[in-house]
Amino acid sequence: STLAGTAGSSGSTDGTGSAARFYNPRSVAVDAAGNVYVADYANHTIRKITPGGVVTTLAGTAGSSGSTDGTGSAARLNNPFGVAVDAAGNVYVAERVNHTIRKITSGGVVTTLAGTAGSSGSTDGTGSAARFNYPFGVAVDAAGNVYVADIDNNTVRKITAGGVVTT
């Protein structure tokens, strides 16, 4: 069965079930409450689907790409690809084009956990000093460490809760 969206119909509509629209969703993650988070790639947004199928936009604005930290629609994302959720309900996003890993709180506050938008590379470091090259997928362990598939570097990276990146 389809939880949300309609086959063959793209867009960026919040709504329930088949009334919702997505544009090239890339990955999903589920939190402990059964909410589904979607990397809505071509819309440059992160969407949330409740267990009842209600879709809302958690972060970003459809059609507006960028790298701005902020809350909800004030934040800008650029082709979010991978998503993961930790035990506290924070969503982690691998942004391929920006070469960054973003963190979104359950309230929709977006910050850049690691990397610098527009600066690719393979540097271990803390926060903005770290570099990625097209990060693709993310996962979170029970301790809150984030693991990143850094696709063009052919590596798996680890980010601690404090933002320290190692290969």
Side-chain angles (χ1 to χ4, degrees), residues 65-68 76-79 94-102 114-120 132 134-135:
S65 65
S67 61
T68 306
R76 293 292 176 266
L77 301 148
N78 194 350
N79 299 119
E95 278 192 295
R96 287 184 59 226
V97 176
N98 278 340
H99 308 291
T100 57
I101 305 302
R102 310 291 288 280
T116 297
S119 296
S120 64
F132 300 91
Y134 291 106

PDB file of all heavy atoms in Angstrom, residues 65-68 76-79 94-102 114-120 132 134-135:
ATOM      1  N   SER A  65      17.089  25.988  -3.179  1.00  0.00           N
ATOM      2  CA  SER A  65      18.256  25.269  -2.667  1.00  0.00           C
ATOM      3  C   SER A  65      19.214  26.239  -1.997  1.00  0.00           C
ATOM      4  O   SER A  65      19.155  27.447  -2.207  1.00  0.00           O
ATOM      5  CB  SER A  65      18.966  24.529  -3.800  1.00  0.00           C
ATOM      6  OG  SER A  65      19.501  25.447  -4.722  1.00  0.00           O
ATOM      7  N   GLY A  66      20.100  25.697  -1.171  1.00  0.00           N
ATOM      8  CA  GLY A  66      21.096  26.529  -0.509  1.00  0.00           C
ATOM      9  C   GLY A  66      21.742  25.770   0.624  1.00  0.00           C
ATOM     10  O   GLY A  66      21.700  24.537   0.683  1.00  0.00           O
ATOM     11  N   SER A  67      22.322  26.512   1.565  1.00  0.00           N
ATOM     12  CA  SER A  67      23.018  25.890   2.690  1.00  0.00           C
ATOM     13  C   SER A  67      22.799  26.671   3.980  1.00  0.00           C
ATOM     14  O   SER A  67      23.645  26.662   4.859  1.00  0.00           O
ATOM     15  CB  SER A  67      24.518  25.789   2.391  1.00  0.00           C
ATOM     16  OG  SER A  67      25.064  27.083   2.202  1.00  0.00           O
ATOM     17  N   THR A  68      21.665  27.325   4.103  1.00  0.00           N
ATOM     18  CA  THR A  68      21.396  28.178   5.245  1.00  0.00           C
ATOM     19  C   THR A  68      20.891  27.381   6.446  1.00  0.00           C
ATOM     20  O   THR A  68      19.938  26.619   6.318  1.00  0.00           O
ATOM     21  CB  THR A  68      20.339  29.245   4.874  1.00  0.00           C
ATOM     22  OG1 THR A  68      20.778  29.944   3.723  1.00  0.00           O
ATOM     23  CG2 THR A  68      20.098  30.212   6.011  1.00  0.00           C
ATOM     24  N   ARG A  76      17.805  26.266   4.341  1.00  0.00           N
ATOM     25  CA  ARG A  76      17.976  25.865   2.951  1.00  0.00           C
ATOM     26  C   ARG A  76      18.850  24.628   2.899  1.00  0.00           C
ATOM     27  O   ARG A  76      19.875  24.534   3.577  1.00  0.00           O
ATOM     28  CB  ARG A  76      18.617  26.980   2.121  1.00  0.00           C
ATOM     29  CG  ARG A  76      17.753  28.196   1.944  1.00  0.00           C
ATOM     30  CD  ARG A  76      16.530  27.894   1.071  1.00  0.00           C
ATOM     31  NE  ARG A  76      15.651  29.024   0.959  1.00  0.00           N
ATOM     32  CZ  ARG A  76      14.587  29.244   1.732  1.00  0.00           C
ATOM     33  NH1 ARG A  76      14.273  28.393   2.682  1.00  0.00           N
ATOM     34  NH2 ARG A  76      13.830  30.301   1.556  1.00  0.00           N
ATOM     35  N   LEU A  77      18.414  23.677   2.075  1.00  0.00           N
ATOM     36  CA  LEU A  77      19.130  22.433   1.843  1.00  0.00           C
ATOM     37  C   LEU A  77      19.380  22.335   0.342  1.00  0.00           C
ATOM     38  O   LEU A  77      18.701  22.994  -0.448  1.00  0.00           O
ATOM     39  CB  LEU A  77      18.291  21.238   2.310  1.00  0.00           C
ATOM     40  CG  LEU A  77      17.900  21.267   3.786  1.00  0.00           C
ATOM     41  CD1 LEU A  77      16.552  20.604   4.002  1.00  0.00           C
ATOM     42  CD2 LEU A  77      18.955  20.574   4.607  1.00  0.00           C
ATOM     43  N   ASN A  78      20.351  21.498  -0.035  1.00  0.00           N
ATOM     44  CA  ASN A  78      20.662  21.337  -1.449  1.00  0.00           C
ATOM     45  C   ASN A  78      20.748  19.849  -1.767  1.00  0.00           C
ATOM     46  O   ASN A  78      21.723  19.198  -1.438  1.00  0.00           O
ATOM     47  CB  ASN A  78      21.969  22.045  -1.797  1.00  0.00           C
ATOM     48  CG  ASN A  78      22.153  22.200  -3.281  1.00  0.00           C
ATOM     49  OD1 ASN A  78      21.424  21.628  -4.080  1.00  0.00           O
ATOM     50  ND2 ASN A  78      23.151  22.980  -3.660  1.00  0.00           N
ATOM     51  N   ASN A  79      19.712  19.331  -2.387  1.00  0.00           N
ATOM     52  CA  ASN A  79      19.633  17.932  -2.789  1.00  0.00           C
ATOM     53  C   ASN A  79      19.960  16.970  -1.648  1.00  0.00           C
ATOM     54  O   ASN A  79      20.923  16.209  -1.726  1.00  0.00           O
ATOM     55  CB  ASN A  79      20.524  17.656  -3.989  1.00  0.00           C
ATOM     56  CG  ASN A  79      20.130  18.474  -5.203  1.00  0.00           C
ATOM     57  OD1 ASN A  79      20.914  19.267  -5.695  1.00  0.00           O
ATOM     58  ND2 ASN A  79      18.915  18.303  -5.685  1.00  0.00           N
ATOM     59  N   ALA A  94      22.550  13.683   4.846  1.00  0.00           N
ATOM     60  CA  ALA A  94      23.728  13.768   3.984  1.00  0.00           C
ATOM     61  C   ALA A  94      23.343  14.616   2.782  1.00  0.00           C
ATOM     62  O   ALA A  94      22.429  14.273   2.039  1.00  0.00           O
ATOM     63  CB  ALA A  94      24.163  12.379   3.530  1.00  0.00           C
ATOM     64  N   GLU A  95      24.016  15.739   2.616  1.00  0.00           N
ATOM     65  CA  GLU A  95      23.762  16.626   1.482  1.00  0.00           C
ATOM     66  C   GLU A  95      24.880  16.459   0.465  1.00  0.00           C
ATOM     67  O   GLU A  95      25.975  16.991   0.640  1.00  0.00           O
ATOM     68  CB  GLU A  95      23.723  18.084   1.940  1.00  0.00           C
ATOM     69  CG  GLU A  95      22.416  18.501   2.514  1.00  0.00           C
ATOM     70  CD  GLU A  95      22.381  19.995   2.670  1.00  0.00           C
ATOM     71  OE1 GLU A  95      23.179  20.524   3.469  1.00  0.00           O
ATOM     72  OE2 GLU A  95      21.583  20.633   1.987  1.00  0.00           O
ATOM     73  N   ARG A  96      24.582  15.734  -0.588  1.00  0.00           N
ATOM     74  CA  ARG A  96      25.588  15.431  -1.606  1.00  0.00           C
ATOM     75  C   ARG A  96      26.205  16.685  -2.195  1.00  0.00           C
ATOM     76  O   ARG A  96      27.423  16.828  -2.247  1.00  0.00           O
ATOM     77  CB  ARG A  96      24.967  14.591  -2.722  1.00  0.00           C
ATOM     78  CG  ARG A  96      24.703  13.178  -2.327  1.00  0.00           C
ATOM     79  CD  ARG A  96      24.175  12.366  -3.483  1.00  0.00           C
ATOM     80  NE  ARG A  96      25.107  12.361  -4.570  1.00  0.00           N
ATOM     81  CZ  ARG A  96      24.774  12.565  -5.846  1.00  0.00           C
ATOM     82  NH1 ARG A  96      23.536  12.764  -6.191  1.00  0.00           N
ATOM     83  NH2 ARG A  96      25.690  12.542  -6.782  1.00  0.00           N
ATOM     84  N   VAL A  97      25.386  17.572  -2.697  1.00  0.00           N
ATOM     85  CA  VAL A  97      25.885  18.725  -3.446  1.00  0.00           C
ATOM     86  C   VAL A  97      26.612  19.719  -2.548  1.00  0.00           C
ATOM     87  O   VAL A  97      27.599  20.325  -2.956  1.00  0.00           O
ATOM     88  CB  VAL A  97      24.730  19.402  -4.220  1.00  0.00           C
ATOM     89  CG1 VAL A  97      25.190  20.654  -4.931  1.00  0.00           C
ATOM     90  CG2 VAL A  97      24.121  18.416  -5.220  1.00  0.00           C
ATOM     91  N   ASN A  98      26.138  19.881  -1.298  1.00  0.00           N
ATOM     92  CA  ASN A  98      26.796  20.813  -0.380  1.00  0.00           C
ATOM     93  C   ASN A  98      28.026  20.212   0.299  1.00  0.00           C
ATOM     94  O   ASN A  98      28.779  20.935   0.939  1.00  0.00           O
ATOM     95  CB  ASN A  98      25.816  21.288   0.701  1.00  0.00           C
ATOM     96  CG  ASN A  98      24.938  22.417   0.236  1.00  0.00           C
ATOM     97  OD1 ASN A  98      25.243  23.111  -0.729  1.00  0.00           O
ATOM     98  ND2 ASN A  98      23.823  22.609   0.905  1.00  0.00           N
ATOM     99  N   HIS A  99      28.190  18.879   0.215  1.00  0.00           N
ATOM    100  CA  HIS A  99      29.311  18.192   0.872  1.00  0.00           C
ATOM    101  C   HIS A  99      29.250  18.368   2.391  1.00  0.00           C
ATOM    102  O   HIS A  99      30.278  18.547   3.053  1.00  0.00           O
ATOM    103  CB  HIS A  99      30.670  18.683   0.342  1.00  0.00           C
ATOM    104  CG  HIS A  99      30.790  18.650  -1.138  1.00  0.00           C
ATOM    105  ND1 HIS A  99      30.846  17.476  -1.846  1.00  0.00           N
ATOM    106  CD2 HIS A  99      30.830  19.651  -2.060  1.00  0.00           C
ATOM    107  CE1 HIS A  99      30.943  17.756  -3.139  1.00  0.00           C
ATOM    108  NE2 HIS A  99      30.920  19.064  -3.289  1.00  0.00           N
ATOM    109  N   THR A 100      28.025  18.337   2.948  1.00  0.00           N
ATOM    110  CA  THR A 100      27.844  18.549   4.380  1.00  0.00           C
ATOM    111  C   THR A 100      26.931  17.493   4.993  1.00  0.00           C
ATOM    112  O   THR A 100      26.190  16.811   4.300  1.00  0.00           O
ATOM    113  CB  THR A 100      27.220  19.930   4.666  1.00  0.00           C
ATOM    114  OG1 THR A 100      25.968  20.031   3.963  1.00  0.00           O
ATOM    115  CG2 THR A 100      28.136  21.059   4.261  1.00  0.00           C
ATOM    116  N   ILE A 101      27.003  17.421   6.328  1.00  0.00           N
ATOM    117  CA  ILE A 101      26.072  16.633   7.113  1.00  0.00           C
ATOM    118  C   ILE A 101      25.312  17.630   7.977  1.00  0.00           C
ATOM    119  O   ILE A 101      25.912  18.414   8.716  1.00  0.00           O
ATOM    120  CB  ILE A 101      26.783  15.589   8.001  1.00  0.00           C
ATOM    121  CG1 ILE A 101      27.694  14.691   7.150  1.00  0.00           C
ATOM    122  CG2 ILE A 101      25.747  14.784   8.780  1.00  0.00           C
ATOM    123  CD1 ILE A 101      27.005  13.938   6.018  1.00  0.00           C
ATOM    124  N   ARG A 102      23.983  17.593   7.864  1.00  0.00           N
ATOM    125  CA  ARG A 102      23.140  18.534   8.595  1.00  0.00           C
ATOM    126  C   ARG A 102      22.396  17.803   9.703  1.00  0.00           C
ATOM    127  O   ARG A 102      22.116  16.612   9.599  1.00  0.00           O
ATOM    128  CB  ARG A 102      22.120  19.184   7.647  1.00  0.00           C
ATOM    129  CG  ARG A 102      22.701  19.765   6.374  1.00  0.00           C
ATOM    130  CD  ARG A 102      23.572  20.991   6.574  1.00  0.00           C
ATOM    131  NE  ARG A 102      22.823  22.182   6.924  1.00  0.00           N
ATOM    132  CZ  ARG A 102      22.173  22.957   6.055  1.00  0.00           C
ATOM    133  NH1 ARG A 102      22.153  22.659   4.772  1.00  0.00           N
ATOM    134  NH2 ARG A 102      21.541  24.032   6.475  1.00  0.00           N
ATOM    135  N   ALA A 114      28.743  18.961  10.231  1.00  0.00           N
ATOM    136  CA  ALA A 114      30.117  18.791   9.757  1.00  0.00           C
ATOM    137  C   ALA A 114      30.204  19.117   8.272  1.00  0.00           C
ATOM    138  O   ALA A 114      29.263  18.886   7.515  1.00  0.00           O
ATOM    139  CB  ALA A 114      30.605  17.378  10.011  1.00  0.00           C
ATOM    140  N   GLY A 115      31.362  19.653   7.893  1.00  0.00           N
ATOM    141  CA  GLY A 115      31.599  20.032   6.512  1.00  0.00           C
ATOM    142  C   GLY A 115      31.300  21.501   6.282  1.00  0.00           C
ATOM    143  O   GLY A 115      30.763  22.190   7.152  1.00  0.00           O
ATOM    144  N   THR A 116      31.674  21.965   5.091  1.00  0.00           N
ATOM    145  CA  THR A 116      31.409  23.340   4.677  1.00  0.00           C
ATOM    146  C   THR A 116      30.813  23.307   3.280  1.00  0.00           C
ATOM    147  O   THR A 116      31.376  22.677   2.376  1.00  0.00           O
ATOM    148  CB  THR A 116      32.710  24.179   4.660  1.00  0.00           C
ATOM    149  OG1 THR A 116      33.231  24.233   5.997  1.00  0.00           O
ATOM    150  CG2 THR A 116      32.460  25.590   4.157  1.00  0.00           C
ATOM    151  N   ALA A 117      29.669  23.947   3.126  1.00  0.00           N
ATOM    152  CA  ALA A 117      28.969  23.941   1.844  1.00  0.00           C
ATOM    153  C   ALA A 117      29.880  24.431   0.722  1.00  0.00           C
ATOM    154  O   ALA A 117      30.549  25.456   0.857  1.00  0.00           O
ATOM    155  CB  ALA A 117      27.722  24.807   1.914  1.00  0.00           C
ATOM    156  N   GLY A 118      29.926  23.658  -0.354  1.00  0.00           N
ATOM    157  CA  GLY A 118      30.707  24.029  -1.526  1.00  0.00           C
ATOM    158  C   GLY A 118      32.171  23.647  -1.460  1.00  0.00           C
ATOM    159  O   GLY A 118      32.909  23.876  -2.415  1.00  0.00           O
ATOM    160  N   SER A 119      32.611  23.067  -0.341  1.00  0.00           N
ATOM    161  CA  SER A 119      34.017  22.697  -0.181  1.00  0.00           C
ATOM    162  C   SER A 119      34.146  21.188  -0.028  1.00  0.00           C
ATOM    163  O   SER A 119      33.896  20.642   1.047  1.00  0.00           O
ATOM    164  CB  SER A 119      34.617  23.385   1.047  1.00  0.00           C
ATOM    165  OG  SER A 119      34.616  24.782   0.883  1.00  0.00           O
ATOM    166  N   SER A 120      34.536  20.527  -1.100  1.00  0.00           N
ATOM    167  CA  SER A 120      34.700  19.075  -1.040  1.00  0.00           C
ATOM    168  C   SER A 120      36.124  18.721  -0.634  1.00  0.00           C
ATOM    169  O   SER A 120      37.021  19.554  -0.693  1.00  0.00           O
ATOM    170  CB  SER A 120      34.367  18.444  -2.386  1.00  0.00           C
ATOM    171  OG  SER A 120      35.276  18.877  -3.374  1.00  0.00           O
ATOM    172  N   PHE A 132      33.973  16.479   3.109  1.00  0.00           N
ATOM    173  CA  PHE A 132      33.391  15.282   2.512  1.00  0.00           C
ATOM    174  C   PHE A 132      33.363  15.483   1.004  1.00  0.00           C
ATOM    175  O   PHE A 132      33.457  16.613   0.522  1.00  0.00           O
ATOM    176  CB  PHE A 132      31.949  15.070   3.005  1.00  0.00           C
ATOM    177  CG  PHE A 132      31.838  14.895   4.490  1.00  0.00           C
ATOM    178  CD1 PHE A 132      31.632  15.990   5.322  1.00  0.00           C
ATOM    179  CD2 PHE A 132      31.940  13.639   5.052  1.00  0.00           C
ATOM    180  CE1 PHE A 132      31.529  15.830   6.689  1.00  0.00           C
ATOM    181  CE2 PHE A 132      31.835  13.469   6.426  1.00  0.00           C
ATOM    182  CZ  PHE A 132      31.626  14.574   7.245  1.00  0.00           C
ATOM    183  N   TYR A 134      30.759  14.320  -1.728  1.00  0.00           N
ATOM    184  CA  TYR A 134      29.461  13.735  -2.059  1.00  0.00           C
ATOM    185  C   TYR A 134      29.014  12.691  -1.036  1.00  0.00           C
ATOM    186  O   TYR A 134      28.851  11.517  -1.360  1.00  0.00           O
ATOM    187  CB  TYR A 134      29.439  13.163  -3.474  1.00  0.00           C
ATOM    188  CG  TYR A 134      29.507  14.224  -4.533  1.00  0.00           C
ATOM    189  CD1 TYR A 134      30.679  14.426  -5.252  1.00  0.00           C
ATOM    190  CD2 TYR A 134      28.413  15.024  -4.799  1.00  0.00           C
ATOM    191  CE1 TYR A 134      30.748  15.416  -6.216  1.00  0.00           C
ATOM    192  CE2 TYR A 134      28.476  16.016  -5.759  1.00  0.00           C
ATOM    193  CZ  TYR A 134      29.646  16.210  -6.463  1.00  0.00           C
ATOM    194  OH  TYR A 134      29.715  17.192  -7.410  1.00  0.00           O
ATOM    195  N   PRO A 135      28.781  13.116   0.210  1.00  0.00           N
ATOM    196  CA  PRO A 135      28.248  12.177   1.192  1.00  0.00           C
ATOM    197  C   PRO A 135      26.892  11.662   0.731  1.00  0.00           C
ATOM    198  O   PRO A 135      26.075  12.427   0.219  1.00  0.00           O
ATOM    199  CB  PRO A 135      28.139  13.009   2.470  1.00  0.00           C
ATOM    200  CG  PRO A 135      28.052  14.415   2.003  1.00  0.00           C
ATOM    201  CD  PRO A 135      28.853  14.478   0.737  1.00  0.00           C
TER     202      PRO A 135
END
